[in-house]
Amino acid sequence: MDKYGLIGYPLGHSFSISYFNQRFADEGINAKYINFEIPSIDELPEVLAKNPELKGLNVTIPYKEKVIDFLDSVSPEARAIGAVNVIKVSHEGNKVILMGYNSDVIGFTQSIEPMLDKKWHKKALILGTGGASKAINYGLKSLGLETVFVSRYERPGTIQYEKITPEVVKEYNVIVNCTPVGMFPKTEECPKLPYEAMDYHTILYDLIYNPDQTLFMRRGAEYGADVKNGLEMLLLQAFASWEFWNGER
């Protein structure tokens, strides 16, 4: 039986295991998807050694960047983003070959593109600076938008939340939350933004999908913003993962 899996820490909120095992059951695929909750990325070789049937892995927080050092090759897109969330595992004799890809950018761009109007949507704020935010930045730029990262801390190339004025929100009217703020169980939290400056030209996209509608989304929607959560992106990037593992992409 082929195996696929997810590496990260912690994995309590994992979407992939239920999605893929249900897909395998529905399509009669002789495979199993397993969560590998590893407290250090240095344990990846042990996971591979103990599971020779592995054909592919997904990678989640906090290893999307750190895993690159373990790979034999990385796709140009993933290299440009600086983060990998899909690994194709193959074998040449006794050697395990690991190829890295990024399906986050595929899932995100396919999900947000129908919301964009080139007449209005030219600049975006990306909340957060982690591995997912890099894919979002790559995706938004590929769709023709200017981007700025927002951080709680003073970092090169970022602005801080306290500097986001109503005027900034009017100009940067696409806002993507790449932070865990508002995720279950802390559902009554949201990024500190001037929501009252938003209107029907504003797009709020939240990578969080639990809860279905975060406080970030609800507060924007009160002022007419177009809002979307990350569930569709997850489904689209799962499709892309399968295609990478099976050489269909």
Side-chain angles (χ1 to χ4, degrees), residues 38 49 70 72 137 146 193 217-219:
I38 52 175
F70 292 80
D72 297 287
N137 181 51
E146 285 183 41
L193 299 169
M217 293 164 63
R218 293 204 311 271
R219 291 195 64 187

Side-chain angles (χ1 to χ4, degrees), residues 79-163:
R79 181 72 67 188
I81 293 164
V84 161
N85 75 321
V86 181
I87 300 171
K88 181 177 182 178
V89 183
S90 57
H91 297 81
E92 289 182 8
N94 293 326
K95 183 169 170 53
V96 179
I97 307 295
L98 304 179
M99 292 174 279
Y101 304 91
N102 192 299
S103 66
D104 281 339
V105 67
I106 298 165
F108 173 70
T109 52
Q110 289 179 350
S111 181
I112 198 170
E113 190 169 21
M115 303 174 75
L116 298 171
D117 182 334
K118 287 186 172 147
K119 180 180 174 186
W120 298 109
H121 302 125
K122 298 179 179 177
K123 297 184 180 182
L125 295 176
I126 300 170
L127 311 184
T129 55
S133 70
K134 293 179 178 181
I136 298 317
N137 181 51
Y138 187 95
L140 287 168
K141 285 187 168 178
S142 76
L143 293 170
L145 280 76
E146 285 183 41
T147 59
V148 173
F149 288 100
V150 182
S151 174
R152 289 175 294 168
Y153 311 107
E154 292 282 349
R155 286 183 172 139
T158 69
I159 63 168
Q160 283 58 57
Y161 284 92
E162 58 269 22
K163 293 177 182 169

Side-chain angles (χ1 to χ4, degrees), residues 6-11 36-44 47 58-71 82-87 101 130-132:
L6 174 68
I7 57 169
Y9 191 85
L11 294 179
F36 297 103
E37 191 171 53
I38 52 175
S40 166
I41 190 61
D42 294 326
E43 294 182 29
L44 175 58
V47 169
N58 288 120
V59 185
T60 189
I61 295 169
Y63 301 137
K64 291 185 181 187
E65 294 154 293
K66 295 175 185 173
V67 78
I68 291 174
D69 291 340
F70 292 80
L71 305 178
V84 161
N85 75 321
V86 181
I87 300 171
Y101 304 91

Side-chain angles (χ1 to χ4, degrees), residues 191-213:
K192 292 180 172 59
L193 299 169
Y195 291 90
E196 67 281 359
M198 298 175 183
D199 59 25
Y200 66 96
H201 291 317
T202 311
I203 291 173
L204 297 189
Y205 193 107
D206 203 330
L207 266 57
I208 293 169
Y209 56 92
N210 183 13
D212 289 341
Q213 191 167 55

